[in-house]
Amino acid sequence: MHKMSRRKKMEQKRKDEREEKNIEWWAKYNTYLKSFKWRDKRLRVLKRDNHECKACCRRDAVAVHHLTYDRVFDEPLYDLVSICETCHEALHPHLKKSGHALAAKPK
């Protein structure tokens, strides 16, 4: 019984550490989305894609979506694609549920 208790404590500690790193990552990411660097990339991608959603090709793009997060914070433009709000929400339903905002137009 003692080993199970210790094991559960270790598992909880790892879970807490992952959650803390996740919170830190989201804080950094949300700050990045407000930066000049991101705003510039976002506008360049929207212009490149003629403000057309590259997912449905039917609506105007209002957001820029990361195709991969491997190079986030220093991503090349080919890692990004213009996308409409409907398609972006469909790609990230978990974000809406978790309270993380989907960045469309920066304020």
Side-chain angles (χ1 to χ4, degrees):
M1 186 74 172
H2 181 359
K3 284 188 179 186
M4 285 299 283
S5 176
R6 184 175 178 190
R7 184 177 182 185
K8 284 188 179 192
K9 285 180 185 178
M10 291 299 291
E11 287 173 0
Q12 185 61 47
K13 182 179 178 185
R14 282 193 290 269
K15 183 180 175 185
D16 291 346
E17 288 171 353
R18 279 192 307 271
E19 181 63 26
E20 187 175 326
K21 285 183 182 181
N22 188 39
I23 290 168
E24 290 171 5
W25 187 90
W26 276 105
K28 183 178 178 183
Y29 184 67
N30 288 330
T31 298
Y32 176 61
L33 293 180
K34 296 173 187 168
S35 71
F36 174 79
K37 182 179 178 180
W38 172 252
R39 288 174 192 223
D40 180 57
K41 282 185 184 187
R42 180 185 174 280
L43 290 174
R44 289 167 60 201
V45 170
L46 288 167
K47 184 176 181 179
R48 177 197 69 198
D49 295 342
N50 296 313
H51 293 266
E52 179 185 65
C53 177
K54 295 305 176 186
C56 69
C57 296
R58 290 184 287 150
R59 291 182 285 271
D60 290 338
V62 296
V64 172
H65 174 71
H66 285 87
L67 296 173
T68 178
Y69 288 87
D70 293 344
R71 293 172 288 275
V72 72
F73 309 118
D74 197 28
E75 62 279 289
L77 297 182
Y78 58 79
D79 278 356
L80 304 168
V81 64
S82 299
I83 196 163
C84 70
E85 186 175 357
T86 301
C87 290
H88 206 201
E89 286 178 1
L91 286 170
H92 296 293
H94 58 285
L95 293 181
K96 207 168 190 181
K97 291 176 187 174
S98 68
H100 293 295
L102 287 170
K105 294 181 181 177
K107 295 177 182 173

